[in-house]
Amino acid sequence: QVQLVESGGGLVQPGGSLRLSCVASGAMFSVLPMGWYRQTPGNQRDLVAGVNRDFSTNYADSVKGRFTISRDNAKNTLYLQMNTLKPEDTAVYYCNTGSNFEINQAVWPWGQGTQVTVSS
């Protein structure tokens, strides 16, 4: 069974930066599209950035130009570099399979997520 462990969240002021990491167990990581999702209270968990097996990327309009998703297949690790953070980026961030904004591709059990709070 796959286990996902997110880390790197914290409290940051508007305009600041954070880098999130997600370590995935299992042997299928390198061949699957992977993505970062975020959820705020009362809302659904939405994909914000995805990276495919060929390392091509997809981003939600709200984070384009500010966030960069990447993967290190040798380490089974997914990253999200978040720059120029805004208060509206405040959420719990999760990783899972999926890089397509039109189709739900999150199929692994969810991890605990990591809290990102952007506030002055």
Side-chain angles (χ1 to χ4, degrees), residues 39-46:
Q39 184 176 29
T40 55
N43 297 311
Q44 65 181 4
R45 194 170 299 176
D46 293 323

Side-chain angles (χ1 to χ4, degrees), residues 1-109:
Q1 186 174 352
V2 173
Q3 186 175 67
L4 298 168
V5 181
E6 300 93 346
S7 63
L11 175 64
V12 64
Q13 294 188 343
S17 298
L18 286 171
R19 190 171 84 146
L20 308 183
S21 298
C22 168
V23 178
S25 65
M28 301 297 293
F29 180 87
S30 64
V31 301
L32 294 171
M34 296 295 299
W36 284 97
Y37 301 74
R38 68 186 182 189
Q39 184 176 29
T40 55
N43 297 311
Q44 65 181 4
R45 194 170 299 176
D46 293 323
L47 180 71
V48 297
V51 58
N52 301 298
R53 61 185 296 176
D54 65 356
F55 302 99
S56 61
T57 57
N58 304 304
Y59 297 95
D61 289 341
S62 59
V63 306
K64 284 181 179 177
R66 300 188 298 118
F67 290 10
T68 302
I69 188 170
S70 60
R71 64 194 299 164
D72 185 339
N73 290 338
K75 298 180 179 179
N76 272 25
T77 301
L78 185 72
Y79 301 99
L80 185 67
Q81 178 66 49
M82 305 185 295
N83 298 325
T84 319
L85 282 161
K86 303 176 179 180
E88 50 263 46
D89 295 319
T90 296
V92 179
Y93 285 72
Y94 303 85
C95 63
N96 212 310
T97 56
S99 62
N100 193 319
F101 287 90
E102 298 179 354
I103 303 173
N104 178 21
Q105 296 181 312
V107 299
W108 285 345

